[in-house]
Amino acid sequence: MTGQRKITEITVTWFCWLSGLLLLAALVILVGYLIRRGGPVLGLSLLFGDTPPLDALLLRKHVFDGLYPALAGTLLLVIGAMVLAIPLGIASGIYMAEYAGGRTKAVFSLLFDILAGIPSIVVGLAGLSITIFLHRIFGERIMPCLLISCLALAYLVLPYLIRTTQVALESIDPVIRKTAPALGASRLQNIGHVLLPHSLPAIIGGIILATGRCAEDTAVIMLTGAVASAGIPRSLLDQYEALPFYIYYISAQYTSPDELATGFGAALLLLLLCSALLVLALVLQRRLTIFLLYR
Amino acid sequence: MTPGRESAGIMGDRVVFWEHLFRSAAVICGLLTLAIFCFLCVLGLPLLQDGHLLSLLSSPWAPARGLYGIFPMLLASILLALLSLALGFPVSLGCSLLITALAPRRLRMLLIGMIRLMAGIPTVVYSFAALFLLVPLMRTLIGRGSGLSLLTAAPVLALLIVPTMVIFFVAGFEKVNRAHLLALDALGGSRVQKIIHILLPGARPVLINGTLLGFGRAMGDTMVSLMLAGNSTAVPSSLADSARTLPAHIALVMASDFDSLEFTSIFACGLLLYLVTGLLMLLMRLPGRSPDNES
């Protein structure tokens, strides 16, 4: 009896430690490999190629052999998507936490969970179908473009923003929550002057995580207008380059070791970008367990 | 009733205005979830209309012969998701138990940080690294073909869903009844006994739900299967075969003519993925599945 118990103890302990070690090994190998292959090419010439950085930044010259257009495209995408998603997401989150109750809340909750679970390729497909509808109405001018991608990405990160806001508001200490109403403040005053300022770090943390999600997604943008070579987009209706799409493109189409090295540089750059956003969010907000579930 | 709602005049109007604003934001987000469904239905209609639904799900993909069945992709998706779960579930379980019960406090924080970092690594970066690390290895191991196969994609996909599952499991273990844990400590039980007799039985609903969540993510992921599984449209006869998943299929058929049946079939794929997501979310809400039920 005790012998068997001892075997169980040892097996379970070993199993758990091995799992942890396996995961750690996978992470170290992956990141180590990327740093080894991508590290040497990191630098200004990775971004700008042979073009003088200042000319490229001021849009005076095109960058043909650097990642600058892709990085700029990703930046524009993220800004566009977040501008669209933040107001809608936070307002919905406030409604979920402060106004909705009972059945309404359960129904909305299910809808938002489904929204969070929809694979990003399906969101991209929806963006594409909107493009097709618009194309039929407005004619040739509407093709997959930056605007459509921003809309689709905004849609993709909406559930994070809703949930972040909702959880941030709901987890406020009841004492703080009840103080202002006890002093005669209305529900709206309570939200605006007490609850929102109090949960601001958590909400900003959620926004940063959503930004990272926008920056990394490939499936949505490959259906809605990202192309391998477009330069800096001149308008919202232009096609654009983006970092994750560039990585995918290089993996399938690279023709020379130089291109491959740039691909590794891009992968490392995207990894650093997303990790930095994640760390920033972690600093701002400790309890973000729930938000990472809705990737 | 809030005090603000009773007071008439400008203040009252403002309160009502904001409440309406918050509610409409939530309603818009909810409707968007349903709108995607409608979009996919309408655009996939030509295929569904002719009573092709069953043949669509059961026939092979051979556009040359006029067959647009998505059976091979459906099979590949399910196989790949199950395979990555089989690899990822034990590791997730072990790792989450390590974090919850076995590791010393310092190491626990380190592991949680690592898991969160892994959850933030872009999918396309995982796949890109695996393309140059894992694929040559698999080519040698399998001994034929290009090294792109279900077996190649599965470990990478597992790596992708493990952080999600670990975070979900750890959150679930933390909700297991504290009193039972204390009682076991008082009786002199070991850590492994804590795992076997309290944590695992207490968190069973969480384990099931976390697995469903992992399955959903594995089914919906585009980049890993697109870059590593080989994308052959044939029905995979073994796990070492190249195969194409539903999301990869959507990404690849993209290029053709907007009005063709071939193009219409990707909306059927999208619809299928959407329905799987909805079904999983409903399954997770079955009675007795809430983690709060264990007290």
Side-chain angles (χ1 to χ4, degrees), chain B residues 6-292:
Chain B
E6 281 142 27
S7 66
I10 299 166
M11 268 303 284
D13 285 346
R14 241 183 76 193
V15 167
V16 171
F17 167 76
W18 280 97
E19 190 176 336
H20 280 308
L21 196 74
F22 294 144
R23 182 178 295 121
S24 10
V27 169
I28 288 172
C29 295
L31 285 180
L32 277 175
T33 312
L34 301 174
I36 279 209
F37 184 73
C38 297
F39 263 122
L40 294 175
C41 278
V42 168
L43 285 162
L45 205 60
L47 265 184
L48 304 174
Q49 222 167 18
D50 309 337
H52 284 327
L53 187 61
L54 262 183
S55 70
L56 188 73
L57 289 181
S58 60
S59 63
W61 175 260
R65 287 191 284 137
L67 288 175
Y68 300 101
I70 51 176
F71 173 70
M73 296 81 181
L74 184 62
L75 184 69
S77 278
I78 292 174
L79 272 180
L80 187 59
L82 288 178
L83 197 60
S84 56
L85 264 189
L87 292 171
F89 179 77
V91 176
S92 310
L93 190 62
C95 205
S96 52
L97 286 173
L98 184 66
I99 290 174
T100 316
L102 293 177
R105 208 183 141 68
R106 278 268 176 85
L107 185 65
R108 185 181 309 173
M109 302 315 285
L110 200 73
L111 279 171
I112 292 178
M114 179 185 90
I115 295 287
R116 285 178 174 167
L117 184 69
M118 289 183 80
I121 294 179
T123 329
V124 67
V125 172
Y126 272 122
S127 319
F128 189 77
L131 197 60
F132 298 96
L133 272 174
L134 194 62
V135 170
L137 189 73
M138 292 309 280
R139 197 179 307 153
T140 327
L141 281 180
I142 296 172
R144 62 187 161 88
S146 57
L148 298 171
S149 69
L150 289 174
L151 271 181
T152 321
V156 183
L157 201 52
L159 203 58
L160 195 80
I161 59 173
V162 161
T164 313
M165 286 163 74
V166 171
I167 291 168
F168 198 87
F169 290 169
V170 169
F173 287 143
E174 273 167 11
K175 284 189 185 131
V176 169
N177 199 335
R178 289 286 121 194
H180 293 177
L181 292 174
L182 289 174
L184 187 117
D185 281 341
L187 290 169
S190 72
R191 286 172 170 179
V192 172
Q193 283 175 321
K194 194 185 277 180
I195 291 174
I196 293 175
H197 297 295
I198 297 181
L199 288 180
L200 288 182
R204 212 176 60 172
V206 177
L207 294 180
I208 298 174
N209 276 0
T211 311
L212 289 177
L213 198 67
F215 182 80
R217 281 210 56 198
M219 277 285 278
D221 187 80
T222 316
M223 296 321 287
V224 171
S225 57
L226 181 65
M227 288 167 78
L228 300 171
N231 298 322
S232 149
T233 52
V235 180
S237 58
S238 85
L239 290 180
D241 276 356
S242 156
R244 184 187 284 195
T245 60
L246 288 171
H249 185 61
I250 295 177
L252 289 168
V253 174
M254 207 359 239
S256 64
D257 176 25
F258 277 5
D259 284 322
S260 64
L261 271 182
E262 197 177 346
F263 188 68
T264 313
S265 80
I266 68 173
F267 291 100
C269 295
L271 202 57
L272 207 58
L273 284 171
Y274 186 103
L275 290 176
V276 168
T277 307
L279 189 68
L280 286 173
M281 288 303 158
L282 286 174
L283 276 180
M284 287 175 72
R285 276 152 206 272
L286 285 179
R289 285 286 179 77
S290 145
D292 304 321

Side-chain angles (χ1 to χ4, degrees), chain A residues 271-283:
Chain A
L271 181 66
L272 290 176
L273 193 71
C274 288
S275 311
L277 286 173
L278 195 74
V279 170
L280 192 63
L282 279 174
V283 170

